[in-house]
Amino acid sequence: MYREKMNIYKQRSAQFIVLFVCIILLSFAILTTDYLFLGSMTVLILVVHLYTRSFDYTIAHTTDALVFGWRKKHTILLKEIEEITLENLDYMGKFGGYGYRRFKRRYAYVFSDSGDFLCVKTADKDYFLSIKDKKYWANWLENRTNVCSNEQTLTKISC
């Protein structure tokens, strides 16, 4: 099983804000000599920051399904897929930035700066899964297309 992992908490501005808040809290702790409250707040903020940095988004495939998500894994059986393709999309304009995005029947998982997406269409939902290794997924898609049976055809989806 091929597995691709991406850290979902990678925005530099968020890291800077956490560091800035911790420095301010420590400065106030020193100035007001209230080490217990402000020091514990600093530790709490750092613990939450380190916990959220541990979120990893995974996209993988097995012989019969696509597996994606973080912590709670989601699966799409290959026999349920109507259309699939690789697209390069403007994720900031189309989805509004990083993270999990949901629009009616469309679900976007944007955790890569590359703009490369595995676009998957099932009978009731459309998924846009960000990927890093476009070469691998293009090869996998080509192999899947060659092996397809008549009941399952993988064609181009319009993203």
Side-chain angles (χ1 to χ4, degrees), residues 24-38:
I24 295 296
L25 282 175
L26 284 176
S27 301
F28 280 140
I30 292 169
L31 290 174
T32 62
T33 65
D34 187 8
Y35 302 114
L36 185 61
F37 176 70
L38 294 175

Side-chain angles (χ1 to χ4, degrees), residues 14-28 38 41-42 45:
Q15 294 172 359
F16 173 75
I17 289 171
V18 167
L19 182 63
F20 181 73
V21 168
C22 289
I23 289 172
I24 295 296
L25 282 175
L26 284 176
S27 301
F28 280 140
L38 294 175
M41 288 298 293
T42 303
I45 289 171

